[in-house]
Amino acid sequence: MEFTALKYFHEAVRSGSIRRAAETLHITASSVSRAIAALEHELGTPLFERTRKGVRLTAAGTLLERHTLRTLRDLERVQDSIDDLRGLHRGTVTLYAAEGLVAEFLPSIISQFNQKHPKISFEIRFGSTDEIVGAVIDDHADIGIMFNGPHRSDLASIVEHADALCCLLSPNHPLVSRAQDGIVKLEDVLDWPLALPEKSFGMRRMIDDAVAERSGVARLILNTNSLELAKRTAISGDAVAFMPGFMVREEVEAGRLYAFRIDSTKLDAARVTVCVHQGREPSFAARALLDLLRRRFADLKQG
């Protein structure tokens, strides 16, 4: 079973489409199709069902995907390590993260990293806390960055940064005038419509716990898997959103948002955790990125 054919197969699984897999791999769709056809011939069974929207795994395909993913990822790490020995310092880091890190954090991380390691590329995907945990555990991700993730024996926490969960308000929001010493009361916040992440987000579970502690009721106008959309809804003045302060520093400094602490100990320490799988050795590329993430979160703590 060829490594290249397995690589094409797994990209088609991830993309859900032969065409999109080919675009990601920078090859022709016919090359991907031929590689998958060769696997199907070797195994004597179809691996995909072709649909109008793309491809879907058969039962046999699901078994192949489940039992070869770890092997494929290990081979990629071996290749990265060999390249490192040869002084090439290249490879790809797959990172799953909370979307709210986009504006303030990840672009500068990528820029700084690429200055030192221009041959290393990134594959970055965004998801909820539960999705990020699953990606790291299932070896779809080298590194996960999540909010209030679970403590598990199969996850190794590399960095953990605590920051208060703030309520985000448009500068013209009436609640701004209710703040005292940079703090607003949770009961006052609950008088207004809220834009919250879905319940699969650790941040949402924090908010629900704080509301339940006060026997309050959240008036939800937006339930979303996009932290960026929740933030934009707050900027527009249509709702109150929640995020750690360091994630909205740019908007606050520009005067587009106010970020106030809330009088609830449940919201005082939103944990941002950088994690990897406990039982897997990170590649050179992943280790280099982890080193940079350690330094950047240390700078945040000092700031």
Side-chain angles (χ1 to χ4, degrees):
M1 197 172 293
E2 291 188 2
F3 170 74
T4 300
L6 277 178
K7 182 178 179 181
Y8 292 1
F9 165 76
H10 279 279
E11 185 56 42
V13 173
R14 191 193 64 77
S15 303
S17 162
I18 300 294
R19 178 184 57 79
R20 288 194 293 271
E23 290 172 353
T24 300
L25 294 164
H26 304 293
I27 58 175
T28 64
S30 60
S31 297
V32 177
S33 294
R34 282 195 301 270
I36 292 172
L39 283 175
E40 291 177 326
H41 177 75
E42 182 178 351
L43 294 170
T45 184
L47 300 174
F48 288 109
E49 296 175 5
R50 274 67 173 178
T51 71
R52 294 174 63 184
K53 294 183 178 180
V55 292
R56 182 172 58 237
L57 284 172
T58 62
T62 300
L63 282 173
L64 181 65
E65 193 268 343
R66 183 182 304 155
H67 290 287
T68 59
L69 177 62
R70 175 71 182 273
T71 300
L72 182 71
R73 298 283 286 168
D74 284 345
L75 286 170
E76 289 173 346
R77 292 186 184 99
V78 168
Q79 183 65 63
D80 285 350
S81 296
I82 291 172
D83 287 344
D84 183 30
L85 287 173
R86 296 168 61 202
L88 298 178
H89 302 316
R90 63 188 180 193
T92 299
V93 182
T94 303
L95 174 69
Y96 274 61
E99 185 194 21
L101 293 164
V102 175
E104 293 287 332
F105 197 70
L106 285 179
S108 62
I109 288 282
I110 293 170
S111 176
Q112 185 177 349
F113 188 88
N114 280 340
Q115 289 175 19
K116 188 174 182 181
H117 304 287
K119 295 181 181 179
I120 294 176
S121 61
F122 289 89
E123 183 173 338
I124 297 179
R125 303 192 176 280
F126 301 106
S128 68
T129 300
D130 293 351
E131 290 168 338
I132 294 167
V133 169
V136 174
I137 296 304
D138 295 337
D139 211 15
H140 292 293
D142 297 303
I143 300 170
I145 309 179
M146 59 188 170
F147 292 108
N148 286 61
H151 293 289
R152 296 175 47 136
S153 60
D154 47 4
L155 285 179
S157 176
I158 305 301
V159 179
E160 194 160 272
H161 175 76
D163 202 341
L165 200 59
C166 297
C167 84
L168 309 183
L169 301 171
S170 162
N172 298 320
H173 197 288
L175 191 52
V176 170
S177 63
R178 306 286 290 274
Q180 296 183 358
D181 299 322
I183 299 174
V184 295
K185 293 181 179 180
L186 181 58
E187 287 80 4
D188 290 340
V189 172
L190 296 179
D191 286 338
W192 297 92
L194 305 182
L196 300 182
E198 294 175 347
K199 289 182 180 292
S200 58
F201 285 73
M203 193 184 303
R204 171 63 180 274
R205 292 192 278 264
M206 283 183 72
I207 297 165
D208 287 348
D209 287 347
V211 173
E213 184 183 49
R214 302 286 178 88
S215 300
V217 177
R219 182 152 58 99
L220 219 60
I221 68 161
L222 178 63
N223 183 59
T224 178
N225 66 351
S226 170
L227 296 178
E228 187 68 18
L229 177 59
K231 181 176 71 174
R232 294 294 169 187
T233 305
I235 291 174
S236 72
D238 293 327
V240 179
F242 298 80
M243 278 191 188
F246 82 91
M247 289 172 52
V248 293
R249 191 171 297 166
E250 183 178 297
E251 284 88 353
V252 170
E253 291 177 351
R256 295 192 296 271
L257 266 182
Y258 279 20
F260 292 115
R261 298 278 292 272
I262 304 167
D263 69 335
S264 170
T265 56
K266 296 278 188 184
L267 303 177
D268 278 347
R271 289 181 294 107
V272 180
T273 304
V274 179
C275 66
V276 298
H277 195 288
Q278 179 67 52
R280 298 184 191 124
E281 181 67 25
S283 66
F284 165 80
R287 290 197 308 273
L289 180 59
L290 288 170
D291 287 342
L292 178 56
L293 288 168
R294 285 190 191 95
R295 294 196 299 272
R296 290 298 294 272
F297 276 107
D299 291 343
L300 275 177
K301 190 173 293 186
Q302 291 175 2

